[in-house]
Each structure stands twice: as structure tokens, then as C-alpha cells.
Amino acid sequence: MSLIELRQVWKSYGDQVVLERVNASVEAGEFVTVVGASGCGKTTFLNMLLGTEAPSRGELLLDGQPLPAEPDSRRGIVFQRYSVFPHLTALQNVVVAREFQMSRLLARLVGRRRRQVRQESLELLSAVGLAQSADKYPHELSGGMQQRLALAQSLINKPRILLLDEPFGALDPGIRADMHQLVLSLWRQHQLTIFMVTHDLKEGFYLGTRLWVFDKVRQDPHAPQAYGARITYDLPAGRKAEPGPAVGISLDRGDSDKVPAKLLLQTE
Amino acid sequence: MSLIELRQVWKSYGDQVVLERVNASVEAGEFVTVVGASGCGKTTFLNMLLGTEAPSRGELLLDGQPLPAEPDSRRGIVFQRYSVFPHLTALQNVVVAREFQMSRLLARLVGRRRRQVRQESLELLSAVGLAQSADKYPHELSGGMQQRLALAQSLINKPRILLLDEPFGALDPGIRADMHQLVLSLWRQHQLTIFMVTHDLKEGFYLGTRLWVFDKVRQDPHAPQAYGARITYDLPAGRKAEPGPAVGISLDRGDSDKVPAKLLLQTE
Amino acid sequence: MTKLINRRPDRLQRLVLGALPFLLVAGLYLWGSEQRLQANPNDKLLPAPSKIIDTMERLAFEPSKRSGDYLLWTDTAASLQRLALGVSAGALIGLVFGIVNGAIPLAHANFSPMVTTVSLIPPMAILPVLFIIFGLGELAKVVLIVIGITPVLIRDLQQRVIEIPREQLIKAQTLGANTWQTIARVILPQIMPRLLDSVRLALGPAWLFLIAAEAIAATEGLGYRIFLVRRYLAMDTILPYVVWITLLAFSLDWILRAVSQRIWPWYHGKSRQQPVATS
Amino acid sequence: MTKLINRRPDRLQRLVLGALPFLLVAGLYLWGSEQRLQANPNDKLLPAPSKIIDTMERLAFEPSKRSGDYLLWTDTAASLQRLALGVSAGALIGLVFGIVNGAIPLAHANFSPMVTTVSLIPPMAILPVLFIIFGLGELAKVVLIVIGITPVLIRDLQQRVIEIPREQLIKAQTLGANTWQTIARVILPQIMPRLLDSVRLALGPAWLFLIAAEAIAATEGLGYRIFLVRRYLAMDTILPYVVWITLLAFSLDWILRAVSQRIWPWYHGKSRQQPVATS
Amino acid sequence: HADERSKFSVCWSIYVGWMPWDYGAQSGIVKKWADKYGIEIDVVQINDYIESINQYTAGKYDGCTMTNMDALTIPAAGGVDSTALVVGDFSNGNDGVVLKGKNKLADIKGQNVNLVELSVSHYLLARGLESVGLSEKDVTVVNTSDADLVSAYTTDDVTAVVTWNPLLSEIVAMPASTPVFDSSNIPGEIIDLMVVNTETLKANPKFGKALVGAWYEIMAVMGADNAAGKAARTFMGKASGTDLAGYEAQLASTKMFYQPAQAVDFVVSADLKTTMGYVAEFSFEHGLLGEGAADAGFVGIETPAGIIGDSDNVKLRFSPKYMRMAAEGKL
Ligand SMILES: Nc1ncnc2c1ncn2[C@@H]1O[C@H](COP(=O)(O)OP(=O)(O)OP(=O)(O)O)[C@@H](O)[C@H]1O
Ligand SMILES: Nc1ncnc2c1ncn2[C@@H]1O[C@H](COP(=O)(O)OP(=O)(O)OP(=O)(O)O)[C@@H](O)[C@H]1O
Ligand SMILES: [Mg+2]
Ligand SMILES: [Mg+2]
């Protein structure tokens, strides 16, 4: 049985058909990257997987069961922005995720369990390179560090599926390359199934095991809203091949805890 | 005589030295692209050219004269965001620039002069591909269209120097490619001198006639603020060579007036 | 079970839920009124609805015995006129000082501390001073409204001006604009819809000061009537007057918002992009 | 010549410019007072500064003959206590309803229309009703403040809750949080500093209602004293009391801001990134 | 249906004739008398005069100080059966009409007159106008809150006011002000009372006895021309925001009934009935008796000289019963 299965899924808002007849099945452990023109429904698709939107027609199955209509801890998410809690330090941002799970009433842990969760969380922060910034608030972190933190936070409760909606869209190109490595290593290590939306086709090919292109196959020039997008290409992507060698001027000036901002000049 | 000359320019904010001993001269018609790590002083440098910041030490000459300490119409600018006036339509955004110049008291034109300025402005809007959107407000335009508008607005008063501070930083990669063509054609047509800050080294090489890399040459680990950045590389860049052939899946679906959003798959 | 946080009422549910508290209040009133009237049929505190309707009919549709006026309408006209004058004057002063303080750093340094100080003085405390300076006529009432709302309007608007991205002011200068042109073509038109927002917020205090002023010296007006009939505990007049004032306040707010949306589409278009709560 | 829009005063200039209007007002007062006192040495309208200082000394440092209290301090204590009670109660109610209305769509549908309606009623208009319901004791004064500020606080805070990016609420749910946990760990802590902001804004109206309430029913308090001596036009008491109230209002505001900056560095850190005006 | 109780509260507001209540409460005289009858009486000050009457009418207090006219138009017209337990004084110059720059009452014609509308000032104005052959139609009445009359008078807008003390003396002291008519021209028509709920009084005669007993002990102290009397008057002056001299000036224009016998005589005389007839007429004309009132007699008023108006709807009673006990030393 596939992990995720979509059967004839339609999604429309009022008159506007956003997605039509989407069929697909995804196995555990795949890394699906999703590209498509702006406004074609990529985020809508992710929202359906997340449970914040329901399909208008068709079935969306998780482990063969209809997907619950609201987010839960089986599906983690990282948005382009606003993915971490601004009022908590980096460490607290990760700890709180465990506290939600382990203390249903107060969402606060004390004593031994608290120490244990702190320890776990610190390890995960180290894994994403934020050990030195554990006590900083998000506003003291750079954009890239915030997205690392969001990843760590999403992973501590061990979701089976990780949804990423242009997680690197707001980052500098140099920092992106580092994030790519991080996502790939987390994907392997935690044996995740990842859906990632990106605007960058190259990124899609580079990261994914499978690349989906969303596009409309039918167009009515008089009623542009009448038809929705579908998965027009479902391509095997380049994963398993390691990234090509990068040659470049590296303006590396990492402080001890910062992941260096690199400007990579890639050979064309 | 060079158009712009920098002689031993320093810039510091209190204790923090941002730029130190910057020397350079730029001739009319050059296209200088500026790259460097985040926070190294690129925007500060542009601000000095603009006149909103003054050098702490050294001389900054325009046509051999000290640069005036505030912005004027000889230097146009396009920022990453907020570059157009949200309360004016696209056409009004361009017209207002002429009105500032031609009607010192009311900044309003009437009658024949008004019609003439509207005509001029419409032509410029056509040149940047916004003829169909002349009566739209900025919030009705996409990010790329807003930046096109900002370019048209900056150019109508014929500045000698155009300053661009990561003008495409907030745009999708697909749209960027179109913007590159536009900037290059405007540069040629209006015989501009351009300074453009970018985070993308490739973009810098591709667009400029000359590429500057800002970086610190000295570092004091105990006082990271003690030393500023300088122009560490001043490279001749690839301009005059036309862009390499782009092969790819084009998800072109431009409405008649929208510049198509392209996803380019470039050969590596 | 869907989490509470995710459960959204549909139209009908919203209507029913929203009406509930009003029905509850109405029910409580009816019950209390019945109780008291049983104990004392002349009780004035919670008059029966029929009594209230009678009184309102009289105030709205029968000329007063003493002056021959239709009291509700003369009161309303008098109050609305004072409100309009006071709020317009306040808005104008707020606009001028807000823009000057916000746009010109020297003016900000000059006026801002004084404005802050004045905004901290509770106008009620200086009523006697106001009367001495402005007399007791219409002027004094309008001035009380102006004094009550203007400092806040100025601070609001100067803040709004400061929040205009600096990029735009620089941009205007690179297009050749001088200070005056920048104010006239960049700042003023962007501040106008924000002025209307601020005025909508200021209407609450404005009503307050209007009623306070009318309570102190007047011959007509909604606040005058309420405080006059308070002398004989005529709740059958006070309660419908309060409802009427609330309705007027609501309509004014609604009209101002509608006007703003019509005149400045770009301003509301901008917020359309973010979901706007309909609180 | 630098454009006016670009000219920024340095520290000294700011100080001088800022002090100017105050000096002007003081000068005008002295001149006016001198004029009037020459014409009529018993004039009460603009007492000489020496008279004001005498009166203040008496009020602050001599026990009152009647009660043995130091009037200024008992008045201040009484008023501040009422203010603190009213504002705390208002803040608490505002917090609870603001969060519930903002976070739970069903509650929003239920309460929001009522809150909007109540916020439109000018509290002054229902003063008579309030006193009848709540009596004239301390309770009534506190309740007037509560009624005056709470609807606005609720609307403010529910708006702030709605403005928390939806992404965060979804994120919390993907981390396993239920509604209650989301409120306790995500919404409440983020709303607290915003509550303090709203409270600071509400202090102005709170002072207003306090003074209005004290004018009608009290035996001590700053508003009471002003009201009492108003009948005798004792400007030598009224003026310094107004200054004192202004000072108190200013200090309260300052303290609240300082507290907020100390407790919630992340909140102020965020705004540090944008230049914050010091209006 | 009122029950027998042991705790009572009465309210008062600042006015020359009511300051003794404050003195009685502060000096312990009220407590002494309450103790004597085994009850407790709370004496509460309320700043706003109208609010104090409203509170009494709403049933929050068992007694309240007010004038005869307000007793008729607020509690009595509101269906609360009230008894004037103590008739303390009548205004004998304490309320007055003041003109700025003019010196006879007839000059008031055509002017704006600032006063507390529907109060005894309004009544005084009406009586004054009558005396010079004018009517209310000849002037414009501007409702003005009492606390603001003094500052209002300093402006040029205000040329004519009707008010009471201490505001009256402040205003008269200002330049170019002439008092042209005052309550000494209509002696005995503006009466200051302690009004209590009739049913409460019936069920609790002790309450009436204690209040009246206390009142006349206070009167004895304050009326005496000795150090103790002076101290008491100084206290009252301070409490009302002025000093001994100011307070004595106000007393001079107030006909205080220091002896209970004086008050009893006043209440039983037929003049009271005539006065209350005027007051009822005035109140009816101004709509103060409510819309349900068909004529001035809608609310019945009981005086020892007979009932005025509807004897089936008697809501205001003047009874010399308790004051007579005081006069006879039976308390
Ligand atoms: N809640 C909604 N109500 C109505 N229309 C919506 C809603 N959410 C999305 N849409 C519409 O659905 C379409 C798809 O939106 P979506 O955000 O999924 O696109 P996207 O592919 O993620 O675009 P982008 O690349 O810009 O993020 C858009 O036309 C959008 O306007
Ligand atoms: N007005 C100012 N006051 C104090 N420090 C400033 C000011 N403006 C800039 N700086 C500091 O100067 C340094 C250079 O800033 P600048 O904005 O020029 O960098 P940048 O190269 O443009 O960075 P980025 O790539 O992030 O845009 C930074 O450390 C910044 O904090
Ligand atoms: Mg999207
Ligand atoms: Mg920069």
C-alpha cells in the first residue's frame, strides 16, 4: 500500500477550479519536488496534504485511510516564513514540540523529563548547526538559521511526512546550497517522505527523487478559471547522484556558530 | 575626467568601520555590478553615491565635484521594494516624475503639457512592457511588473547614473531572466552608468561590464567591527557577450500584457 | 473531532450565535422590568417597552409643548453638527501637524514633546480653563471635542507619516521633488485614507466629549437631553437615546469606511491581500 | 541648501526646539497672570506662581485641618488605586475575551457583534444608568473605567490574535498541539506584550473616566478635588493638579514601557530592526 | 412591606444646610444616637446632588438630603413614597438671580440665563419673572452644570445666572455683578429637607428618632455662639471647600431652624401647603411629574394643613411627628 494516494482529486474555490483530476501515489521514503507557474495550485496541493484544505472531489488517502481534515503530528511543515515561534528561544522552539506531545494539559515539562527533552532538542539543534545559538530568539537569527530551526522543530516529533513550501525562497543563493545539504541529510537520516514546492526547477531536479510539474492542460481564454492544473510531468529526478563539484570564490567568513554564507560560482 | 571618483573613502557608524580606503573611478557608460557577503556595506556604498549617507573620510566626486549630500535627479534608484508610489497608477507613477520637474509649486500639469507628458510616459511604459497596465495601481501588479515600473519611473527624467540595490532579489528566477534583458536594453538605449548590487555572482558576471567584490581584507577576531570592507576584486565582467542559449521547459502562459513567467532549465 | 480552533461557523450559525447575546440582554431587561413594575407601577428605572415606545413616539413625532420642536430631531441635528465641526477641525489640525511633524525632523523636534504632553492631560480636568478661554457657547463644545481628539490624531498621523517607507521619500527626491512637492504628492495623498482610519477611531472619544460638553451647558442636543431628564430619572427617554446614539455612531463609522473604500481603492486593495477580519 | 525634509537636528537642537513651546506657554502664562493681577489683585483665574507653590506646599506637606490627611497624597493614592483596579480588571477581561474571540471562530461569531455594539456606546451617556446599577461606592468608579476601556481592549486584542500568522497556529498543530495548548503556549505569550501596548493606549481614556466618576461620587481623589474647588474657581489648586495628573500619566506610561522591554526582549528586539520613532 | 432592620444608610451632598450631617457623622453625634436606639446609621457623602437623589429613588439609601421641589419631582413622582423627616431650613437669600452689567430683574428680558434646568434655580427664576410680569418665554434657559457656573460666569457669553450658594457668593463677588432677585423675596418656598422612605420609617420608628435626635443635637452645637459652635462651623466650612467666614456668610442667607419647635411651626402652617401648590404647578408645567400626569395634582402631597392633589396617590408627606417629639424632649 502506498503511503499517500490521490484518486481523481479536484479542488475549486467557488467558480475557480484550481486543481483537476489529480492522480498519484507516493511511497514512503520518496522525495517529491513540485514546480509550476505561480498561482497554479502548488500551495493548495500542500494544504490538502496538510489537512487545512479538503479536496472538493476525489479521495486523498494516507496509509489507505482518508486524510484527517486538520493538521496533526504525522505531517510536519516548514513554510517560507513564520515557521518558528518568535517568543521562544531556538531551544525552546524545539522543546515546545515535545512538550505539546508529552504534557497534554499544561504543555510544560519539569524535572527529569524536562532535562531529557532538553538534551534531545540540543542534539537536534547541533545536527542542524545551531548548537551555539540555542538561547537566541528567532529575531537574532538570520533567515537561513531560522529555516534550520524550523526544520529541527518539525523533526523532533518524528513526522512521517515533511511538507516544505518554498522553504528557501527567501534565502540568498549562497545559503541555499548549505540548506540543500542539510535537507538531504535529514531526509536520509530520519527516513522521511518529503514534498517540497520550489520555484527553481534546477533545485527541484537536484533535490528530489521525483519531480512533478503542475500545469493546466486545458485553457479557455474566455474563462481562465474554468480549468484547473494537473500533474503534467512526473519525472524521475536526479537524487542518488551527488552534487557536482562547486568551484568558486568563497566569501566564507563564518563566525564559529554561523553557517558560512557562501557565494558559489558554478561552472556552466 | 571620470564620471565618479572615490578617493580613500571610509565609512563608519560609531565604532563600526563599514568601508575602509575605497578607491575607484568609473567612466560614463559602465555597468558596475557589486557583490559581497551580507552586511559588508554594499547598500552603504550605494547610499553614499545616492547622497543619503556621507563618507566619514575621503572624497567622493561626481564629474570632479564633491557629491551633494542629498538625492537629486542626476541619480536614479530602484530599491528591492517600495520603489513605486502605491497611491498612483502605473501611468501616474511615471507622470509624477515629470511633474516634479516641470511644476515646482503644485507638481501638477494641465492642458497641452499634461498631454505631452502623458504621451512620453506611455511610451516609456510600453518600453518596459506595461502599456496595458497603465491604469492599474501597484498592488494590482506582480512583483516583476512593479520593478519594471520603478525602472520606467527612474528613467523618465534621464538621470546620468542609475543605482540598483538588489532590484530582482524578491523576484522569481524565471522572471529575473526577463528583467535582465530589460535592464540591458535600457542601459544601452539611455546610455546610462549603472551600479547594481546583487547577491548572485552569476548575475553580476552576466550583466556587468565590471564586477566589484566587497570584502574585508583584515580581520580582528576579538573586534570584528574594527576593520571595514574594501573592493577586493575589480574584475572585467562578461558584458558584450550575449547570454548563452537557454534550453528548458517553458511554462509560458503570459496573459497578453503580462511578461511570461518562465522556468528555465539551464544546461550545467 | 475537529479542534475548536479549526471549527468555523457557517453563515446561519454566525447569525444565530451573534444574535444570542442581544436576545439574552433583551430577555433580562424584560424580566427585570416586569419584576420592578409589579412591585411599584410608577417605577422609573426599567420602564416597560410599551412605555419606551410611547416616549420615543412623542419625542420624534409630536412637537414639544414648550418649544414646539420635534425634540429627537432637533437634539440629533444639534449634536451631529457639533460633532461634525469638532471632528472636522480636529482632523484638519491633526492632518497639518501630523504631516509637518512626521515629514520634517525639525518640526518633529519642535512640536512633538508638547503634543505628547498635551495628549496626556485629561481634558475633563481642564474644563474650567476651557470655559474661561472659550466661553460657554457652541464654540466651547466644539473646542472640547477638538482638544479631546486632536493630540491623539496628531500622534497617530505623524506615526503614519514616519511609517511611509523612507525609500519612497528618497525616490521622490531622485525624481527631482523638493520638500513641498514630496509632501503634496507623496505624503499627503498616502495619509488621507489613514486620516480617515484615525478619524473613525477618534469618533468614540469625540462622542464622549460631545456628551460631556452638552451635559455642562446646552439648550439642546442628545447629551443635553440625557443629562436633563436624568433629573427625574426618566429612563424611558435615556435608554432609547443611548440606543439611538449607538446607532448613529455605528452608521457614521460605516459611512466613513464606505467612503474611504470608494475614494482610495489602492489603500483597501492593499489590505485585501491579507485576510481582513470583519470584527 | 539641504532640503527641509533631510535636515535632522542634533541632540542640542532637539532639546532647544523641544523646550521652546513649553517656555512659550510658561511665558504667556506669566504675562497674562501679571496683567490680570495688576487689574485685580484678588483675581483667581491666573494665580501668580508663588501662590500656586504656596497652595501645593500646603496640600502636599501640611495635614489638612479637617481630616489630618496630606491631601495631595491621599488624593493621589485614592485615584491611583481606582485606576489600577479598573485598568487591571479591564486588561484581564480584555485578555480573556480577546484571546477567546481571536482564537476560536465560534466564540468570535458569538461575542464579537455584542462587543462592537458595546464599544460604540459612549460611557458618559450611560453614566446615570451605571450609577444606579452599581451604586456610588468604589465599585461604581472602577466599573466605569472597566466599561470605558474594556470593549476597545477586547477589539484590539482579538485583532492582534487574528494577526498572528496562521502559519504559526498550523505549525503548532503539526507539532501535536491541541486548542488549549496552542492558546497557552503560542497565543497567550505572544499577546502579553501587545496587551501592555493596548493598556498603555487605554490609560488615556481610563484617566478620563476616573475623573468623570470622581466628579460625581467620591470623597477623595484627584478628580474629586478638582471638581470640589472648581466651584470656587481655585485655579491655584486646579492648575498644579492638572500638571500632577499629567506627570503621573507620563510616568505610568514610561514604567509600563520599561517593564515590557525588560520582560519581552523578543518583542522589542523585533521592532528594533525597524527604526522606531520616539514620538 | 418594609421589614424591621437595624442597619440604615442616608446620603447627603455638599450644601450649606446639609453640612451639619457631615459634622454629625464625623463628630460621632449620629453614632451616639444610633447606638441609643440600637441601630447603625451610615452617613454617606455624594458629590453630585442629582445622583444622590437618584440613588435614594433607586432604593440604595433609606434617606437623602434634598429640596422640597426635587423631593416631589424625583422620588415622589417616581412612585417612591417619601417623608420629609427633618425640615432643616429654608433658603432666605441663598439662591439668587445675578445679572452682569444690569441692575434690575426686568432687564433679564431677552437674555440667555444659565442655570441648572429643572432645579430650584429654575423655580426661583419662574417666580421672579412672574413678579415683574414676565414669563419664561421672555428668556432663553441654558442648562449649565452647577460646578461650572462660576468659571462660566467669567466669560462674556454668560450675562445672567441663577444659582445657589456657595456659587452665588463667588459670582456676586465678581466685578459688575448685581443680584437682582433672591430667595428672600419668596421666603419659605425653597426648603431643605432630610427625606426618608415612608415605608422604612413606618417599620422602623427608631431610625426616625435617631436621625432627628442627632440633628437637633448638632443644631444645638452649631447654633451656639461659643468656641464649640465656632469649631463646628469651621469644620463645615472646610468640608464644603471654603472657610469659616465663607460658611457664615452662607448661613446668613439661610433660615436655619435651630430649634425643633421652629420647624414644627413652619410645617404645620398653611403657607407650606400654598408653597407646595406652586411647586407642583411649576413641576407639572415643565413635565417633571412624568407623562402619566394629567394635571398638577397627579402626585398627592400630604401636609398637616391638608392634602394637595390626588389623595389616592399620596407620595410625599410633610410630618411634624418626629420633630415634635424632639421639641417635647421625648427622644
Ligand atoms: N482560500 C482561497 N480562496 C480562494 N482562492 C484561493 C484560496 N487559496 C488559493 N486560492 C487561489 O487558488 C490559486 C492557487 O493558489 P496557490 O497559492 O495554491 O498557488 P501556488 O501555486 O502556491 O502559487 P505561488 O507559486 O505563487 O505560491 C490561486 O489562483 C489563488 O488565488
Ligand atoms: N544607519 C546605520 N547605523 C548603524 N549601522 C549601520 C547603518 N546602516 C548600516 N549599518 C551597518 O553597516 C553594515 C553594512 O550594512 P549594509 O546595509 O551596507 O550591508 P549590505 O552589504 O547592503 O548587506 P545586505 O547584503 O544584507 O543588504 C551592517 O553591519 C549594518 O549593520
Ligand atoms: Mg504557494
Ligand atoms: Mg543591502
Side-chain angles (χ1 to χ4, degrees), chain B residues 94-105:
Chain B
V94 182
V95 168
V96 76
R98 296 296 287 145
E99 289 181 318
F100 284 144
Q101 295 244 308
M102 296 168 67
S103 161
R104 296 307 287 173
L105 195 61

Side-chain angles (χ1 to χ4, degrees), chain A residues 35-38 40 172-173 199-202 205 213 215-216 219 233 249 251 253 263 265-268, chain B residues 35-38 40 172-173 199-202 205 213 215-216 219 233 249 251 253 263-268:
Chain A
V35 297
S38 191
C40 75
D172 292 339
H199 259 109
D200 190 341
L201 195 57
K202 215 167 65 187
F205 269 108
V213 179
D215 203 2
K216 294 191 186 185
Q219 286 274 15
Y233 295 81
I249 306 167
L251 296 173
R253 68 145 55 99
L263 288 165
L265 172 61
Q266 278 170 319
T267 50
E268 293 227 306
Chain B
V35 298
S38 191
C40 75
D172 292 340
H199 259 110
D200 190 340
L201 194 56
K202 217 168 62 187
F205 269 108
V213 178
D215 203 4
K216 293 191 188 185
Q219 285 272 15
Y233 295 81
I249 306 168
L251 295 171
R253 69 145 54 99
L263 287 166
L264 288 177
L265 172 60
Q266 279 169 321
T267 50
E268 292 227 303

Side-chain angles (χ1 to χ4, degrees), chain A residues 9-13 44 47-48 51-57 60 69:
Chain A
V9 168
W10 290 67
K11 178 69 191 179
S12 44
Y13 292 107
T44 303
N47 283 343
M48 287 195 298
T52 55
E53 296 284 354
S56 308
R57 276 191 265 164
L60 184 47

Side-chain angles (χ1 to χ4, degrees), chain A residues 193-262:
Chain A
T193 308
I194 296 185
F195 289 83
M196 170 168 153
V197 171
T198 172
H199 259 109
D200 190 341
L201 195 57
K202 215 167 65 187
E203 191 175 79
F205 269 108
Y206 172 67
L207 287 177
T209 57
R210 190 168 172 187
L211 178 113
W212 289 353
V213 179
F214 275 48
D215 203 2
K216 294 191 186 185
V217 284
R218 300 184 287 174
Q219 286 274 15
D220 179 345
H222 301 296
Q225 309 203 324
Y227 298 107
R230 303 175 53 185
I231 303 179
T232 48
Y233 295 81
D234 183 348
L235 310 170
R239 199 47 9 222
K240 268 146 222 161
E242 287 302 308
V247 200
I249 306 167
S250 163
L251 296 173
D252 185 332
R253 68 145 55 99
D255 311 351
S256 54
D257 80 318
K258 250 202 223 148
V259 174
K262 281 186 194 144

